[in-house]
Amino acid sequence: MSPIVSPSPSTRRPTISQSGSPGRCSPSFVVPGERMRPLDVGRALSSYLDKHGRLRELLTLPGHGGSVLVLDRDAATLCDRRLVAHLAADEPPENVALVCRHYLEDPAGRWCRRVQREDLLADPIAVSTQGAVTPDPLDISEELTDEDGRVYSIGLFSAGEGSTAQLQWCRGQAAGAGPRIERVPLRDVIAVFERYEPMRALTEQALARHGDDPDLLVTRLRSEFERLCASPVVLNRGLREAVLHATDSLGLSLSEIAFRCGVVKRDRNGKTSGETSWVARRIGLMPEGGEKRITPWVHIDVLATIARKGLGVSPREVELQ
């Protein structure tokens, strides 16, 4: 079995392999590398033979708020469903293939559990975990505090007595709010602070330091790190700052920026103008239609379009590194 190699932090473009991995217990079909469409939710992605020679398959199911659950189940009975991953609604579809590839490459399959009814209604951004172990933060990573006083660090989580501890990002409640600790995906920690560092560097350091530790599982954290590095969806804060600078200092309007990008609307008299709300949603000033939360993410192609056409600058000038 080939080891999973962490990409460098600068590798931030999607490259999903079309070739098959050695798989987990002889997979009979490898997860395809093509981009998944929304209609693909619910279809089988891959199949493999478990250690008992039974055929199992990976599939996706729709979750809460547009999220996607990646499941492993018995292909014959369609039972014994296990949760492999729970991806947020704004994660790129390519991440489903990355999750499946990592899962097939893990011969032990220790980072999944039986699906619970609550999983279909749960928000993947913050999942409470009982049995969490909080190590000395200096032993694994430094602590980061958000505007609400919540503390983030890389910690250890145990699914129960006798189980191997997982290395993951965790969030502790603000002082006086109780001792509850939540497991939080790396991508969501970055979304909270709207910057990549030091979270990305701390994650890479933790993987390098503990990747060979037989007493710790790092598969999930490694998967989150690789998905982040390969994702075509990037933070929009730099683009937002550039757009606001253009409107405040250069006299450009959001409508003019949208018009330059070719995103237009027409009134009842046929007059054409730029779609202001399109720009506002892409740069994180307005939530998407039907959503309550403003997204801190934008697809790299959209960022490039707004930068080049709307602002007349290089995308590298507005993309956070």
Side-chain angles (χ1 to χ4, degrees):
M1 183 180 69
S2 303
I4 302 174
V5 180
S6 296
S8 64
S10 59
T11 306
R12 303 252 317 275
R13 297 295 175 268
T15 305
I16 301 177
S17 174
Q18 298 281 351
S19 62
S21 65
R24 174 174 173 268
C25 302
S26 304
S28 58
F29 177 73
V30 178
V31 179
E34 73 272 9
R35 181 179 177 87
M36 287 187 59
R37 303 175 298 276
L39 293 178
D40 291 330
V41 173
R43 74 179 176 92
L45 300 172
S46 178
S47 61
Y48 69 95
L49 297 177
D50 66 14
K51 61 182 180 181
H52 301 294
R54 292 189 290 262
L55 183 66
R56 298 187 66 86
E57 62 184 10
L58 305 182
L59 72 154
T60 57
L61 286 181
H64 174 75
S67 62
V68 176
L69 284 77
V70 181
L71 306 183
D72 178 348
R73 72 180 179 187
D74 187 295
T77 65
L78 307 185
C79 297
D80 189 24
R81 299 184 177 186
R82 298 178 177 273
L83 180 65
V84 176
H86 194 173
L87 307 184
D90 57 357
E91 287 209 43
E94 292 90 343
N95 281 352
V96 173
L98 286 173
V99 166
C100 291
R101 177 167 63 84
H102 288 163
Y103 183 73
L104 291 174
E105 289 175 342
D106 180 3
R110 293 172 293 185
W111 53 292
C112 64
R113 59 168 174 77
R114 291 189 181 277
V115 176
Q116 302 172 2
R117 184 184 301 271
E118 294 77 12
D119 291 327
L120 298 175
L121 304 176
D123 185 343
I125 290 182
V127 182
S128 296
T129 304
Q130 294 184 353
V133 180
T134 307
D136 180 356
L138 297 178
D139 184 51
I140 293 182
S141 77
E142 64 183 76
E143 292 185 344
L144 307 169
T145 304
D146 65 18
E147 294 180 351
D148 297 322
R150 296 175 299 184
V151 178
Y152 298 78
S153 65
I154 298 178
L156 301 176
F157 285 87
S158 174
E161 185 176 355
S163 63
T164 305
Q166 287 266 8
L167 194 65
Q168 284 211 254
W169 276 94
C170 57
R171 175 171 60 202
Q173 299 303 303
R180 196 179 85 174
I181 296 177
E182 298 174 324
R183 185 178 64 222
V184 186
L186 167 62
R187 187 168 177 271
D188 296 317
V189 179
I190 288 174
V192 169
F193 293 94
E194 291 194 78
R195 65 178 190 266
Y196 293 103
E197 303 300 347
M199 288 72 73
R200 188 168 53 193
L202 290 173
T203 302
E204 189 169 35
Q205 291 169 12
L207 290 172
R209 184 185 305 175
H210 301 282
D212 296 327
D213 189 337
D215 297 324
L216 290 179
L217 291 179
V218 300
T219 311
R220 186 186 295 271
L221 185 62
R222 192 186 301 278
S223 175
E224 291 176 1
F225 179 72
E226 183 171 331
R227 282 155 50 194
L228 174 75
C229 293
S231 177
V233 177
V234 298
L235 289 173
N236 61 20
R237 179 171 61 82
L239 179 63
R240 178 171 66 250
E241 292 172 351
V243 168
L244 294 179
H245 172 73
T247 57
D248 294 340
S249 303
L250 305 180
L252 276 179
S253 67
L254 295 185
S255 178
E256 174 64 21
I257 293 173
F259 190 86
R260 291 180 178 184
C261 294
V263 182
V264 300
K265 61 180 179 180
R266 291 177 175 81
D267 61 20
R268 64 182 64 185
N269 296 321
K271 183 178 179 181
T272 302
S273 61
E275 182 61 70
T276 301
S277 61
W278 176 80
V279 179
R281 290 182 176 119
R282 301 291 85 76
I283 66 175
L285 293 180
M286 287 177 55
E288 294 289 342
E291 300 292 333
K292 295 182 179 179
R293 290 185 300 187
I294 294 175
T295 178
W297 305 100
V298 64
H299 196 283
I300 188 64
D301 292 342
V302 177
L303 178 145
T305 296
I306 295 176
R308 289 196 183 100
K309 296 182 178 180
L311 301 176
V313 300
S314 169
R316 291 186 177 275
E317 295 182 39
V318 299
E319 182 185 358
L320 298 178
Q321 299 299 322

